[in-house]
């Protein structure tokens, strides 16, 4: 069933096709271009959630290691540009299951020599790429090169999963349509940046490290 709202068109069945994959990129770009800047500014000013300041922002002098409200506008524009340039990838369920296994392995061993299939990309896997600490299902990610030599990776959740999580605190009947009309099919979760390859620690491995904005302190930036 296709539901039309004031701003977005969505398919509640989520039967993804090549056209809908392109639509996901279009809606993600619209969200980042039209809504995200104000959202990011508000979250930064209120301390609602941590924001990782990428090497690009530090190099450009946008802000210091601690995000400022102005950084929210910069981040939204930078993310929109990455999504606009992204090559699109779709993972069928068996490959998605493999991606989850590999992702869990990366958490313990690191990324190693990361060679993505395109400099900029957006990958969608409706069967899921993992879950946030709050239990929201991650179904997409986009990436691009970071000025420090690593990669900037952003994770997106299934908006239906976000609505289910939000309804625990707000039982509004039309919450699904309200949120989708404002934010689109995908919910921006948070971004990570890989550091450039470094010498292996004793008994360890050499490669790129994944920095998680939810679990890193100022010293790690």
């Amino acid at each position: 069933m296709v539901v039309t709202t004031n701003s977005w068109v969505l398919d509640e069945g989520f039967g993804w096709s090549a056209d809908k994959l392109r639509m996901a990129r279009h809606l993600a770009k619209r969200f980042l271009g039209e809504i995200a800047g104000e959202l990011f500014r508000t979250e930064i000013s209120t301390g609602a959630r941590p924001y990782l300041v990428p090497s690009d922002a530090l190099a450009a002098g946008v802000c210091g290691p601690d995000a400022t409200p102005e950084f929210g506008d910069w981040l939204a524009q930078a993310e929109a540009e990455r999504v606009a340039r992204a090559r699109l990838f779709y993972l069928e369920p068996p490959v998605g299951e493999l991606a989850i296994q590999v992702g869990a392995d990366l958490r313990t061993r690191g990324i190693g020599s990361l060679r993505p299939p395109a400099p900029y990309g957006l990958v969608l896997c409706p069967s899921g790429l993992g879950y946030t600490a709050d239990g929201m299902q991650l179904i997409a990610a986009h990436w691009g090169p970071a000025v420090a030599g690593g990669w900037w990776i952003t994770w997106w959740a299934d908006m239906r999963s976000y609505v289910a999580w939000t309804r625990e605190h707000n039982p509004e009947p039309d919450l699904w349509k309200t949120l989708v009309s404002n934010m689109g099919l995908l919910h921006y979760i948070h971004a990570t940046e890989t550091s450039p390859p470094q010498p292996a620690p004793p008994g360890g491995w050499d490669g790129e490290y994944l920095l998680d904005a939810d679990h890193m302190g100022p010293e790690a930036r």
Side-chain angles (χ1 to χ4, degrees), residues 9-195:
V9 177
L10 60 142
D11 182 344
E12 290 198 65
F14 273 64
W16 293 97
S17 64
D19 287 340
K20 289 174 184 174
L21 180 56
R22 286 189 290 269
M23 182 181 72
R25 174 172 61 180
H26 171 69
L27 297 183
K29 184 173 179 291
R30 276 190 62 185
F31 163 71
L32 291 165
E34 300 175 12
I35 299 171
E38 181 178 351
L39 174 65
F40 294 166
R41 286 177 66 93
T42 300
E43 291 187 334
I44 291 170
S45 63
T46 59
R49 64 169 172 168
Y51 272 83
L52 172 67
V53 177
S55 55
D56 304 58
L58 295 174
V62 175
C63 64
D66 295 320
T68 62
E70 293 74 19
F71 167 72
D73 292 329
W74 181 92
L75 177 63
Q77 180 180 355
E79 291 282 50
E81 291 176 356
R82 274 185 280 269
V83 170
R85 300 175 65 175
R87 184 178 175 187
L88 302 179
F89 298 88
Y90 180 92
L91 299 185
E92 295 287 353
V95 181
E97 294 170 4
L98 176 61
I100 292 175
Q101 296 174 13
V102 172
D105 192 41
L106 294 180
R107 284 289 184 184
T108 57
R109 293 197 306 105
I111 289 180
S113 182
L114 179 62
R115 292 183 178 86
Y120 296 85
L122 186 152
V123 58
L124 178 70
C125 181
S127 63
L129 293 168
Y131 292 86
T132 69
D134 297 319
M136 287 184 282
Q137 187 181 36
L138 300 172
I139 63 168
H142 77 265
W143 69 85
V147 70
W151 297 90
W152 181 251
I153 307 170
T154 298
W155 304 95
W156 297 80
D158 183 336
M159 180 57 82
R160 293 172 301 174
S161 179
Y162 177 68
V163 169
W165 175 77
T166 306
R167 275 198 173 126
E168 295 180 6
H169 312 283
N170 182 1
E172 178 187 340
D174 294 329
L175 189 61
W176 162 254
K177 292 183 181 179
T178 301
L179 288 175
V180 172
S181 67
N182 288 326
M183 303 179 72
L185 297 169
L186 303 176
H187 177 56
Y188 185 103
I189 295 296
H190 71 265
T192 59
E193 183 175 0
T194 66
S195 66

